[in-house]
Amino acid sequence: MIVAVTRNIPDKFRGFLASCMLEVAPSIYVSPSMTKAVRERVWGVLTKCFSDVSDGSILMVYNDPAEPAGVGVMTLGLPPRHV
């Protein structure tokens, strides 16, 4: 299972993610059966286009037995932080 959560990103990202994943709630995308190769290609497209984004972020979590707790995490941008 792969889950992607977006914040404050242009519509082109949302359209791209919706073309390869299911949007289950606003800005939350899931894919129960995406292969590692497809996930890496999707992440590559997101990374390539992300330089145009000033204050948004994308978080992707996926099953990875080699990572602690079996969950891999990839991020672009920074989430908002409040002290």
Side-chain angles (χ1 to χ4, degrees):
M1 172 73 75
I2 298 171
V3 179
V5 180
T6 64
R7 183 190 64 81
N8 233 15
I9 59 170
D11 287 340
K12 68 180 180 180
F13 286 92
R14 297 186 72 196
F16 173 70
L17 284 169
S19 73
C20 52
M21 301 175 82
L22 176 64
E23 187 173 15
V24 294
S27 301
I28 300 175
Y29 304 85
V30 299
S31 178
S33 59
M34 186 181 288
T35 65
K36 178 181 178 182
V38 172
R39 182 189 76 228
E40 289 173 349
R41 285 193 297 269
V42 167
W43 191 253
V45 170
L46 294 172
T47 301
K48 182 178 176 183
C49 298
F50 196 78
S51 62
D52 299 337
V53 178
S54 60
D55 65 340
S57 64
I58 303 173
L59 169 80
M60 185 179 282
V61 295
Y62 56 94
N63 182 36
D64 187 350
E67 293 293 327
V71 177
V73 178
M74 295 186 287
T75 61
L76 290 170
L78 297 173
R81 294 172 289 192
H82 302 284
V83 179

